[in-house]
Amino acid sequence: MNILRTDFTHDASEEVQNGADAATARCRNCGAPLRETFVDLGMSPLVQSFVPASKLDEVEYFYPLHTLVCGECKLIQLRDYVAPDHIFTEYAYFSSYSASWVSHAKAYCEMITKRLSLGPQSFAVEIAANDGYLLQHFLPLGVPVLGVEPAANVAEAAKAKGIPVVVEFFGTRLADKISRDIRKADLIIGNNVLAHVPDLNDFVDGLHDLLAPEGVLTMEFPHLERLVAENQFDTIYHEHFSYFSLLTADRVMRRHGLEIFDVQEVATHGGSLRIFAAHPGAQVCCRTPIVDTIMERERATGLDDIATLAGFRAKVEATKRNLLAVLIGIKNEGKSIVGYGAPGKGNTLLNYCGIGVDFLDYTVDKNPYKHGTYTPGMHIPVNPVEVIDVTKPDYVLILPWNLKAEIMAQMRNIQDWGGKFIVPIPTVEIVDPRT
């Protein structure tokens, strides 16, 4: 495996660590200098850059995975080591391959349609619409929709479902174009996109500009509180430029003339928040008590305190050591281990912990787009799920641990040959499906 550590990435990492040249390391929300480390996961490739067999001997690019925390607004973030068009123009993640995620999206569409009394007179826009996993559920409800998706390959899957899609990155320019050519949106949806935005100010300005005067914006993102409490370090990767608490999300929204008036805690992606925002003064903008309750809880657990956030590193290192100890013990017994899934979070975990084919014979994934490729960095072969039934491994390491219930139900048949599951996060757990 050839690893290219470019001069740019090396110098950028040193500037942050030494506190030098602060003009190149500033908060993407408030512009304050970034000097404090949240956690440094070393060098890592892009987690969706799966390697075809024909390129296994070619140079592979690694970038610093060094997260920083702003001393002013407390936003946790990565520097812009990689341009978004390099990451998202062609993307290997298709949302519809997770049945539980599609079910979550369907329930949301039914809920929000009823809550906002949406109908044929309404207009809903989803930013980062992916393969149409969500907007497809509005079609039978009679709600006109538009998807915005920069990855052309997944956008084609959405179009095949009858969903109109603009293949472009979202910001003020596109917001103005949609507002002018179609209309302003009664509902704007953004699921797991806020973290993916390097130019946060232009993006949120665009949300403000596209939202109708009485419209509602809902955004879902993994909750920093859960990330810290449950050692979810594997949700950190280059596609995720920022990591939000409700406190930081509120500061970002207020900075751009939007007000969070409600929030829901949802189970997806290891624990997420769904915020509801609107223009201040809109009739719908009636602040619910849960907003202040969660903010107070975040303050009490130290999410607004630099010292508490800096303590995350020790927990991450302990999780790495514990996982490796379990895997080493299993391999020393002569047992076989394979992976289930090839998600972005899994590739962060594999690369940070140094888990390669010396531990995992292969991994599997439902997404045929990944079959026959190798995971970035560690070069573990990705096979169809059915291969597990052929090789009958002793252990299956669940890489998308947030879907462990769904996966264990699907793969319960490994009990037929005495197979067991390994769940790596929040603490290493071995699960015997026979018990």
Side-chain angles (χ1 to χ4, degrees):
M1 175 177 64
N2 294 316
I3 301 174
L4 179 63
R5 299 173 186 253
T6 67
D7 288 341
F8 165 71
T9 56
H10 175 74
D11 290 347
S13 181
E14 284 192 341
E15 284 171 4
V16 172
Q17 291 171 1
N18 297 333
D21 196 4
T24 64
R26 290 189 172 274
C27 177
R28 64 172 43 89
N29 175 44
C30 69
L34 295 172
R35 297 192 176 96
E36 303 290 340
T37 291
F38 176 57
V39 67
D40 188 346
L41 301 179
M43 303 289 286
S44 179
L46 301 181
V47 296
Q48 296 293 350
S49 58
F50 290 86
V51 183
S54 61
K55 294 187 176 181
L56 282 175
D57 259 351
E58 295 185 9
V59 168
E60 190 167 12
Y61 289 85
F62 281 54
Y63 305 90
L65 200 53
H66 182 190
T67 48
L68 304 158
V69 56
C70 176
E72 297 298 322
C73 71
K74 309 304 188 297
L75 178 65
I76 291 172
Q77 56 202 280
L78 282 170
R79 295 184 61 191
D80 304 355
Y81 294 113
V82 191
D85 56 351
H86 182 65
I87 299 174
F88 298 114
T89 301
E90 183 171 358
Y91 205 46
Y93 179 71
F94 289 70
S95 297
S96 292
Y97 286 108
S98 170
S100 60
W101 182 240
V102 174
S103 177
H104 171 77
K106 184 175 186 291
Y108 164 84
C109 292
E110 293 170 349
M111 176 277 296
I112 201 70
T113 297
K114 182 177 180 180
R115 178 168 176 169
L116 302 183
S117 300
L118 301 177
Q121 78 289 349
S122 308
F123 180 44
V125 178
E126 184 183 15
I127 315 299
N130 201 263
D131 60 4
Y133 76 100
L134 184 143
L135 289 181
Q136 63 182 340
H137 301 298
F138 278 123
L139 301 182
L141 298 174
V143 179
V145 300
L146 176 70
V148 176
E149 173 54 56
N153 60 321
V154 292
E156 286 304 313
K159 291 178 181 178
K161 297 173 182 175
I163 298 165
V165 181
V166 176
V167 182
E168 195 171 330
F169 286 98
F170 183 78
T172 53
R173 190 193 63 77
L174 182 56
D176 291 343
K177 186 175 188 300
I178 295 172
S179 299
R180 182 177 62 252
D181 294 349
I182 305 176
R183 52 178 285 197
K184 290 187 179 293
D186 302 295
L187 172 66
I188 301 176
I189 308 146
N191 286 350
N192 301 307
V193 62
L194 195 62
H196 290 72
V197 179
D199 191 345
L200 191 60
N201 289 322
D202 181 67
F203 182 85
V204 183
D205 266 343
L207 297 176
H208 173 276
D209 295 348
L210 180 58
L211 191 64
E214 291 295 328
V216 169
L217 162 71
T218 72
M219 307 287 289
E220 289 185 28
F221 48 83
H223 191 187
L224 179 66
E225 181 182 50
R226 297 290 293 275
L227 186 155
V228 171
E230 299 179 10
N231 304 324
Q232 298 174 5
F233 68 88
D234 57 342
T235 60
I236 296 171
Y237 41 92
H238 297 104
E239 288 88 335
H240 290 170
F241 293 96
S242 305
Y243 304 82
F244 295 91
S245 63
L246 183 58
L247 289 165
T248 53
D250 185 62
R251 289 171 189 139
V252 169
M253 293 296 157
R254 286 183 179 278
R255 181 180 176 86
H256 298 278
L258 293 168
E259 183 176 339
I260 296 175
F261 64 88
D262 196 7
V263 61
Q264 296 173 347
E265 295 180 279
V266 295
T268 56
H269 293 281
S272 297
L273 293 181
R274 175 190 290 153
I275 61 170
F276 296 72
H279 295 290
Q283 290 184 6
V284 72
C285 194
C286 182
R287 191 178 178 95
T288 60
I290 189 64
V291 176
D292 295 310
T293 297
I294 293 177
M295 286 184 176
E296 285 305 313
R297 192 179 74 203
E298 289 181 345
R299 291 188 185 97
T301 54
L303 294 190
D304 228 23
D305 178 69
I306 291 289
T308 301
L309 294 172
F312 183 59
R313 173 183 173 180
K315 296 171 64 176
V316 170
E317 292 172 348
T319 300
K320 174 180 178 175
R321 290 192 298 269
N322 293 338
L323 175 59
L324 286 174
V326 168
L327 297 182
I328 289 169
I330 290 171
K331 295 302 289 185
N332 284 344
E333 293 175 356
K335 304 292 187 179
S336 60
I337 312 172
V338 305
Y340 187 104
K345 58 164 51 75
N347 287 322
T348 289
L349 184 142
L350 295 174
N351 280 281
Y352 173 63
C353 295
I355 299 170
V357 291
D358 49 346
F359 287 105
L360 303 186
D361 297 339
Y362 60 84
T363 191
V364 300
D365 201 89
K366 281 188 170 183
N367 184 352
Y369 190 84
K370 300 177 183 179
H371 295 166
T373 67
Y374 294 76
T375 63
M378 289 295 102
H379 291 182
I380 298 169
V382 184
N383 293 320
V385 174
E386 295 74 25
V387 174
I388 289 180
D389 292 327
V390 176
T391 66
K392 296 180 171 54
D394 297 304
Y395 291 87
V396 176
L397 174 64
I398 299 178
L399 295 171
W401 48 263
N402 54 302
L403 301 175
K404 64 181 181 181
E406 177 182 336
I407 292 167
M408 287 181 186
Q410 291 172 358
M411 298 300 300
R412 189 171 180 81
N413 65 306
I414 71 169
Q415 67 183 321
D416 296 343
W417 61 82
K420 299 176 183 177
F421 297 105
I422 306 171
V423 182
I425 303 290
T427 56
V428 187
E429 177 186 11
I430 294 179
V431 179
D432 188 337
R434 293 170 295 184
T435 59

